[in-house]
Amino acid sequence: MSIKDEIKKIKDNVYEIPGSFNKKMRASGRFYIADEYFDELEEGAVEQIVNVACLPGVQRYSIGLPDIHFGYGFPIGGVAAFSLRNGIVSPGGVGFDINCGVRLIKSNLTIDDIDGKLDELTEKLFKNIPSGVGSKGKIRLEENEINDVLDYGAEWAVNNGYGWPEDLEVLEENGRMVDADSSIVSEKAKKRGIPQLGSLGSGNHFLEVQIVDEIYNEEVAKVFGLEKGMIVVMIHSGSRGCGHQVCSDYLRVMDKAYKKYKVNIDDRQLACAPLDSKEAQEYIQAMAAAANYAWANRQMMTHWVRETFEEVLGKSAKEMEMDIVYDVAHNIAKMETHKIYNREEEVLVHRKGATRAFGPGCEEVPEKYRAVGQPVLIPGTMGTASYILHGTDVAMEETFGSTAHGAGRILSRSKAKKDYNADEITEDLESKGIKIKATSKNVIAEEAPGAYKDVDSVVRVSDETGIAKLVAKVKPLSVCKG
DNA sequence: ATGTGC
């Protein structure tokens, strides 16, 4: 019998896999997907929701978000929360690119201010922000400095001249997870991290100059400092080889740990350890350190974005009001307090390809946004629109304060390379007035918009189900890619 | 995502 036959439709765009589907399930599965995408949904991704629902200490629902697709162990576009008493932590529930995330920088510029200068701006951004597989940053980190990066994140960056002290106020976790402990991060992860700090990376990572194209909620847009016609910059990047290595290191640790602690898992890729174990605590500290690396990384690139705008436009970044709107993590696990059947409980929330979407009043939301909920940044694919939403009470009730993180891949990288041609895509974007600079032609074909689910539908489902509400749409003017 | 397989 197909697993999809067991799925119950709860309401428009919301589906449930009953906990009775499988004797091992300790929670139900619940996922949000555009009704028109239901038939295309991979069975494998649904099975992964079920596998996660079988893990010890899982709370309420194993959740799939509108961009869900098959991933390593846990689905991408997945959220699961575990009890601190009998739950687990799993590197597969966070993903390889620890704290891959998105940051939005605003300005007081309009299209007229960059008229005739977009090409130069894009060329210089591409030059000043290193990108590509194995790309190296342009600073030389001292051997012991990597420990400060891992322990202090964006705070290290600001203290070392990358950006402004007030930047930290508008970063998730203020750009620093205090649980981080660099002393348990492997030498190999540090060695990979040292030369790459301050680089964009490859794949779906990008840096775009964008324009605010549409405002859906004037009141909230105003609180976030956004206006129609405003030039903004979006950075999508992560923890590079450093986070990847931390994930690999701990997948190996967990592969032993789940056997040692006799955790029953349905897929070896769900390797995990009980939260009270040494292995779990060490992974959490190492993951937090890699998350800090990613925040330092995006902070440094922010600084170079501002410098580049200054160089091309001849005004200071302060004068151009290039403030950070917000910075969100897409791949992370965090201790948070959530309502579990009318009781407030501390749980470990895994978000893998998911954005935190905390609603109004949450103390984790910066004070200036607290009345309306946190900014939620959902990037589109190369050359397509991206969206700004706000967190909601519905997300707090239903999804542990989470929503989708992006478009969601539907073609593998290799299939995309077969189906698409880099020159045609470049021409197509240029015909729409979008300039693209990329390190390799391969990445352009791999990241073809057609290889992804339509981000518009992902965002629409989020808005219609209420797990994050639309605020604004931005569209790219130019794209820098690895 | 990623020294794009160990």
Side-chain angles (χ1 to χ4, degrees):
Chain A
M1 182 169 45
S2 161
I3 191 169
K4 285 178 86 172
D5 297 334
E6 294 293 309
I7 295 168
K8 284 196 299 200
K9 184 168 178 172
I10 301 293
K11 56 181 176 181
D12 286 351
N13 309 311
V14 183
Y15 297 84
E16 185 165 310
I17 312 158
S20 56
F21 170 71
N22 168 335
K23 282 202 181 82
K24 292 179 288 185
M25 284 174 82
R26 303 173 199 242
S28 302
R30 174 78 65 110
F31 59 94
Y32 298 74
I33 195 163
D35 290 330
E36 68 269 24
Y37 271 114
F38 183 85
D39 290 339
E40 287 177 42
L41 176 61
E42 307 150 285
E43 197 142 304
V46 181
E47 281 166 8
Q48 289 185 322
I49 295 178
V50 172
N51 293 342
V52 171
C54 297
L55 292 171
V58 66
Q59 299 294 299
R60 299 192 62 198
Y61 297 108
S62 166
I63 294 163
L65 295 162
D67 51 350
I68 185 167
H69 55 285
F70 185 81
Y72 183 96
F74 288 59
I76 297 160
V79 176
F82 296 89
S83 161
L84 299 196
R85 280 173 287 110
N86 60 348
I88 54 89
V89 64
S90 174
V94 172
F96 277 88
D97 191 2
I98 295 165
N99 192 8
C100 171
V102 177
R103 165 179 301 214
L104 186 72
I105 303 158
K106 64 176 272 292
S107 77
N108 59 12
L109 305 170
T110 67
I111 194 85
D112 294 335
D113 295 311
I114 60 165
D115 186 37
K117 292 175 183 159
L118 182 64
D119 281 1
E120 187 193 350
L121 198 53
T122 308
E123 296 286 347
K124 289 197 165 139
L125 285 168
F126 188 69
K127 184 174 139 264
N128 291 342
I129 290 106
S131 65
V133 182
S135 54
K136 293 185 159 92
K138 46 185 193 176
I139 59 142
R140 204 168 307 180
L141 213 55
E142 298 296 328
E143 202 64 25
N144 58 339
E145 259 186 310
I146 187 71
N147 295 325
D148 290 339
V149 172
L150 294 166
D151 288 328
Y152 300 103
E155 218 173 288
W156 171 86
V158 169
N159 288 339
N160 283 271
Y162 302 99
W164 309 330
E166 61 267 35
D167 289 343
L168 300 175
E169 291 165 22
V170 283
L171 313 180
E172 193 170 312
E173 301 295 320
N174 302 114
R176 178 193 172 195
M177 300 265 276
V178 292
D179 287 341
D181 185 352
S182 62
S183 71
I184 53 155
V185 173
S186 70
E187 287 306 313
K188 200 173 172 186
K190 290 178 189 175
K191 201 177 165 195
R192 287 179 71 176
I194 288 169
Q196 294 184 331
L197 189 65
S199 67
L200 190 64
S202 182
N204 66 353
H205 289 166
F206 65 71
L207 187 152
E208 288 183 352
V209 178
Q210 305 170 329
I211 186 163
V212 178
D213 187 45
E214 205 168 335
I215 301 279
Y216 305 100
N217 184 329
E218 288 286 352
E219 185 201 332
V220 178
K222 202 172 167 191
V223 174
F224 291 170
L226 298 170
E227 283 171 24
K228 188 168 175 167
M230 176 185 282
I231 303 297
V232 299
V233 175
M234 187 175 274
I235 298 172
H236 181 196
S237 182
S239 51
R240 311 289 286 102
C242 180
H244 192 275
Q245 190 61 48
V246 168
C247 181
S248 301
D249 289 342
Y250 280 89
L251 280 171
R252 189 175 297 178
V253 170
M254 295 302 180
D255 199 54
K256 293 200 183 84
Y258 86 85
K259 293 168 193 155
K260 175 176 162 189
Y261 298 108
K262 298 184 170 42
V263 184
N264 283 314
I265 54 177
D266 291 84
D267 174 357
R268 212 168 156 185
Q269 293 184 353
L270 296 170
C272 58
L275 277 169
D276 57 9
S277 69
K278 180 171 173 283
E279 290 88 341
Q281 290 308 310
E282 287 193 359
Y283 169 67
I284 288 170
Q285 290 169 312
M287 177 210 61
N292 287 348
Y293 180 100
W295 273 310
N297 194 33
R298 291 197 286 274
Q299 186 64 31
M300 292 168 76
M301 290 188 277
T302 299
H303 177 66
W304 294 323
V305 164
R306 286 173 176 154
E307 277 192 346
T308 305
F309 271 69
E310 287 175 338
E311 185 188 337
V312 175
L313 298 172
K315 287 196 270 189
S316 76
K318 288 269 188 196
E319 213 178 329
M320 291 182 279
E321 297 175 12
M322 295 184 72
D323 304 312
I324 299 170
V325 175
Y326 205 57
D327 178 304
V328 295
H330 282 165
N331 285 356
I332 205 156
K334 293 203 281 199
M335 304 283 182
E336 294 173 357
T337 304
H338 287 279
K339 199 156 79 183
I340 314 287
Y341 302 116
N342 294 322
R343 278 223 329 251
E344 296 284 335
E345 271 188 56
E346 207 183 358
V347 289
L348 184 74
V349 181
H350 292 59
R351 291 192 185 87
K352 181 184 189 182
T355 315
R356 198 183 71 176
F358 277 10
C362 292
E363 63 178 27
E364 292 87 344
V365 178
E367 214 175 327
K368 65 177 177 176
Y369 303 145
R370 200 168 295 158
V372 298
Q374 73 163 87
V376 172
L377 311 174
I378 303 188
T381 63
M382 179 175 64
T384 65
S386 295
Y387 292 88
I388 292 101
L389 297 86
H390 70 84
T392 62
D393 293 333
V394 176
M396 301 315 289
E397 287 289 327
E398 297 187 8
T399 57
F400 300 102
S402 318
T403 190
H405 85 307
R409 190 172 268 284
I410 47 176
L411 293 186
S412 68
R413 289 180 191 279
S414 52
K415 184 86 167 63
K417 268 191 280 195
K418 274 187 200 138
D419 290 6
Y420 294 96
N421 171 288
D423 293 331
E424 282 171 26
I425 293 166
T426 305
E427 269 173 44
D428 185 47
L429 291 177
E430 273 170 10
S431 74
K432 292 177 189 155
I434 303 166
K435 185 181 171 64
I436 173 158
K437 289 283 294 176
T439 307
S440 82
K441 285 199 176 185
N442 255 347
V443 83
I444 298 183
E446 284 176 2
E447 296 302 317
Y452 285 85
K453 189 186 284 180
D454 178 14
V455 72
D456 297 18
S457 96
V458 168
V459 166
R460 180 180 54 75
V461 170
S462 183
D463 185 71
E464 285 177 11
T465 57
I467 55 174
K469 297 297 280 182
L470 271 165
V471 177
K473 176 185 184 176
V474 292
K475 64 176 193 191
L477 299 172
S478 73
V479 188
C480 295
K481 285 198 78 80

Coordinates of all heavy atoms in Angstrom, one line a residue, chain A residues 133 192 203-204 240, chain B residues 1-4 6:
Chain A
V133 N 33.1 27.2 -5.7 CA 33.5 26.0 -5.0 C 34.9 26.2 -4.5 O 35.8 26.6 -5.3 CB 33.4 24.7 -5.8 CG1 33.8 23.5 -4.9 CG2 32.0 24.5 -6.4
R192 N 39.7 23.7 7.1 CA 38.9 24.0 5.9 C 38.3 25.4 6.0 O 38.0 26.1 5.1 CB 37.8 23.0 5.7 CG 38.3 21.7 5.2 CD 37.2 20.6 5.0 NE 36.3 20.9 3.9 CZ 35.3 20.1 3.5 NH1 35.1 19.0 4.2 NH2 34.6 20.5 2.5
G203 N 26.6 26.6 -5.6 CA 25.3 26.0 -5.5 C 24.2 27.1 -5.6 O 24.3 28.0 -6.4
N204 N 23.2 27.0 -4.7 CA 22.1 28.0 -4.7 C 22.5 29.2 -3.9 O 21.6 30.1 -3.8 CB 20.8 27.3 -4.2 CG 20.8 27.0 -2.8 OD1 21.9 27.0 -2.1 ND2 19.7 26.6 -2.3
R240 N 30.2 27.1 4.7 CA 31.2 26.6 3.8 C 31.8 25.2 4.2 O 31.0 24.5 4.8 CB 32.3 27.7 3.7 CG 31.9 29.1 3.4 CD 31.3 29.3 2.0 NE 32.4 29.4 1.1 CZ 32.8 28.4 0.2 NH1 32.1 27.3 0.3 NH2 33.8 28.6 -0.6
Chain B
dA1 P 22.7 24.7 -3.0 OP1 23.0 25.6 -3.9 OP2 21.6 24.1 -2.6 O5' 24.0 24.2 -2.2 C5' 24.8 25.1 -1.5 C4' 25.4 24.5 -0.3 O4' 24.7 23.3 0.0 C3' 26.9 24.1 -0.4 O3' 27.7 25.1 0.1 C2' 27.0 22.9 0.5 C1' 25.5 22.3 0.5 N9 25.4 21.1 -0.3 C8 24.8 21.0 -1.6 N7 24.8 19.8 -2.0 C5 25.4 19.1 -1.0 C6 25.8 17.7 -0.9 N6 25.5 16.8 -1.8 N1 26.4 17.3 0.2 C2 26.7 18.3 1.2 N3 26.4 19.6 1.1 C4 25.8 19.9 0.0
dT2 P 29.1 25.4 -0.5 OP1 29.8 26.4 0.4 OP2 28.9 25.7 -1.9 O5' 29.8 24.0 -0.3 C5' 30.2 23.5 0.9 C4' 31.0 22.3 0.7 O4' 30.1 21.2 0.6 C3' 31.7 22.3 -0.6 O3' 32.8 23.1 -0.6 C2' 32.0 20.8 -0.8 C1' 30.7 20.2 -0.3 N1 29.7 19.9 -1.4 C2 29.4 18.6 -1.7 O2 29.9 17.7 -1.1 N3 28.5 18.4 -2.7 C4 27.9 19.4 -3.5 O4 27.2 19.1 -4.4 C5 28.3 20.8 -3.2 C7 27.7 21.9 -3.9 C6 29.1 20.9 -2.1
dG3 P 34.3 22.6 0.0 OP1 34.1 21.6 1.0 OP2 34.9 23.9 0.3 O5' 35.1 22.1 -1.3 C5' 35.0 20.8 -1.7 C4' 36.4 20.5 -2.3 O4' 37.3 20.7 -1.3 C3' 36.5 19.0 -2.6 O3' 36.0 18.8 -3.9 C2' 38.0 18.8 -2.5 C1' 38.4 19.9 -1.5 N9 38.9 19.3 -0.2 C8 40.1 19.5 0.4 N7 40.2 18.9 1.6 C5 39.0 18.3 1.8 C6 38.5 17.5 2.8 O6 39.1 17.2 3.9 N1 37.2 17.1 2.6 C2 36.5 17.4 1.5 N2 35.3 16.9 1.5 N3 36.9 18.1 0.5 C4 38.2 18.6 0.7
dT4 P 35.7 17.3 -4.4 OP1 36.1 16.2 -3.5 OP2 36.1 17.4 -5.8 O5' 34.0 17.3 -4.3 C5' 33.3 16.1 -4.0 C4' 32.1 16.0 -4.9 O4' 31.4 17.3 -4.9 C3' 32.4 15.8 -6.3 O3' 32.6 14.4 -6.6 C2' 31.2 16.4 -7.1 C1' 30.8 17.6 -6.1 N1 31.3 18.9 -6.6 C2 30.4 19.7 -7.2 O2 29.2 19.4 -7.4 N3 30.9 21.0 -7.6 C4 32.2 21.4 -7.4 O4 32.5 22.6 -7.8 C5 33.1 20.5 -6.8 C7 34.5 20.9 -6.5 C6 32.6 19.3 -6.4
dC6 P 32.5 10.8 -0.1 OP1 31.5 10.8 0.9 OP2 33.3 12.0 -0.3 O5' 33.5 9.6 0.1 C5' 33.0 8.4 0.8 C4' 34.2 7.5 1.1 O4' 34.9 7.2 -0.2 C3' 35.2 8.0 2.0 O3' 34.9 7.5 3.4 C2' 36.5 7.5 1.6 C1' 36.3 7.2 0.1 N1 36.9 8.2 -0.9 C2 38.2 7.9 -1.3 O2 38.8 6.9 -0.8 N3 38.8 8.8 -2.1 C4 38.1 9.9 -2.6 N4 38.7 10.7 -3.4 C5 36.8 10.1 -2.1 C6 36.2 9.3 -1.3

